[in-house]
Amino acid sequence: MATLSDQEVIDRLKAPKNKALISQCIAHEQRLRMHVEPVLEKESLKNNPAFQKFLAAKREQLPADKYKAFEQKVTAPLVSNDVCDTISSSLSRVFEAQNSFRKVEFRSAELEAQFNELLEANGVDSFWKTRGFEALKVAPNSILVVDAPREQTTPRPQVYQYLVNISDVVDVDVKGDGACEYVLFKIGKDETGKLDLFAALDDASYRVFSKDENGKYNKEGEDAPHALGYCPAHPFWRELLSSRDSLQRVSPFTKALGRLDEYVDLHASIEFYHSFGMWPVIWNYVGSCDYKDEHSNPCEGGYVNYTNLQGEPCQKKCPKCEQNSLIGPGSRFGVSTPDTKDSFDQMDNGPMGMLKVDIEALKFSQDKLKALEQTIVTRCAGREASSRSEAKNETQVQGEFENKEDVLTNIAWGFEVIQEWAFSTMARLWGGDDFVRVTVSLGDDFYLQTVEEHLQAYELNKKAGMPMHVLAANREMIGSTQYKNDPEQLERSRILANLEPFADLTITELRDFKKDFPYLVSDEAMLLKVNFDYYVKRFEREQLPVHMVASEGVSFNRKIELIQNKLYDYVREQNAKREQRQQLPIPGDGERSDALEANAEVA
């Protein structure tokens, strides 16, 4: 346990123990934001120190004129933002697992209900899907804090959680088990705007300190003690960048940062090369350079030789020739005329010409860029699915995504660790000894394919004659993916799939099957299949929506049985009416009105 005295807090505010590590974390997140967060204006992008370092590295590699041309082709938003957006869309599926689960247990069901209402009022699910996911991408070094209002107006404290960006952390110490010993961070200005305020959290209490305009630190107000026995702050993410660094964490994009820099670099170079096609380089014959400096020293091969004040021989570039040093799109440069009859003469092709773009070199660069993009996506999000040009059984389809599932499972584990800490800490502050335990699982059954992809797989498997259980699995995935955010529709789809006879056969296919195997398909089943939608709608008009039937205390099997019995009642009722119609006499001239009346009664 670490309980800092007031003076120890002030000393660490003045001279942070882990200042160097925090600076490294900030630099890390600046690189992440450069590639992950789109910035529309290039001048704003230049405010990011990571982008400044990227350009500075290119400036050291290239001559000034060529660097200027390169820098013009690096546009905002950066092209790497598109790649990272694709990866983010894939990683966001971590919150969409079909078997996710959360339970915070107290000694009474009433307390559980009250605490769950508090979580819902605080929007905890939205917090993790938005702010939590953003922190994973660009701020993995953030600190999660659980807090409560200093002035309590309810029987139990209205606990809440928030993230502190590492750039606002003044000092933090992390134990070997990954928990915080203490954390000191900025919380803004006081009401007068003259004092900088800082929060200090440790194993015993919450405290607030201030710094005035003269740099003097003071404690503000009284301590707000807590009975947790540990610091109510925790590193947001669990995965360390290095075992030698207890503070810096890993984002899914961290290990691809070098490749993302290379991607921006290569894309800008290709764009510069593209422009040669639109604005070709022109050459023409010129005479020798006639430049002379202020001392009448002539140009000799692009350089001017002169003697300095110490009498030493020196050389400088010819300013007139230097204007043609950058051969880029739209340039015109001169070529010296041959000095002997045996010299190579461009005049064989005319007095002027145009340099052609090397198409093979351009194609090679484009292929390299495409391969680099695929490597980045695979490195961050897992292996992409292979082509679906042929039917695959269930095991083969799942095997394609094993790598992606590993990535999502690892991220899910990270969220489970921090959520269990957050919910248990909030529950202890709120419920004290009435809290029992918390269980969090984000699940492992992720939606890795779209509805369209599932439909395509279903059609291919059906065409290939795959077994019915494979088609049923495909069909179930279509429904669960289509209604993943609508539990009622998902349940309704599951029920209807269990009610419809021969769900994987069309009406025409079932009719032909019945002709070949009449003993396997009853007339009632055929009639229910043909009029399935009508019977279901009638049931829901006369009874209630199918997903609400016997919703509590009844097994799913029994629920299907109850609905199915009623649907077959409708079928038998329709059969009875049909038989009555068939028994009616064919009306003659004198019997027409009586027969019409009888028909009306039957109907």
Side-chain angles (χ1 to χ4, degrees), residues 450-461 474 478 482:
T450 65
V451 174
E452 291 73 19
E453 288 172 329
H454 283 303
L455 282 170
Q456 184 181 4
Y458 178 83
E459 291 169 358
L460 287 170
N461 284 331
N474 289 150
I478 292 170
Q482 185 170 8

Side-chain angles (χ1 to χ4, degrees), residues 469-497:
H469 72 88
V470 174
L471 297 181
N474 289 150
R475 180 162 39 80
E476 185 176 346
M477 288 304 300
I478 292 170
S480 59
T481 304
Q482 185 170 8
Y483 302 117
K484 61 185 178 183
N485 297 318
D486 191 338
E488 287 188 357
Q489 283 295 328
L490 181 58
E491 180 66 7
R492 186 174 191 274
S493 173
R494 181 182 172 218
I495 292 170
L496 296 180

Side-chain angles (χ1 to χ4, degrees), residues 27-37 50 136-141 251 253-254 257:
H28 173 195
E29 292 186 1
Q30 288 168 346
R31 288 190 72 188
L32 289 170
R33 292 182 187 279
M34 167 182 159
H35 291 295
V36 178
E37 291 186 344
L136 169 67
K137 294 190 295 182
V138 298
N141 302 304
S251 161
F253 299 98
T254 296
L257 285 172

Side-chain angles (χ1 to χ4, degrees), residues 236-259:
F236 163 72
W237 205 239
R238 64 171 185 83
E239 187 177 355
L240 291 168
L241 179 64
S242 167
S243 60
R244 297 183 299 275
D245 184 345
S246 64
L247 190 56
Q248 196 160 187
R249 311 289 156 150
V250 174
S251 161
F253 299 98
T254 296
K255 294 179 181 178
L257 285 172
R259 290 187 177 96

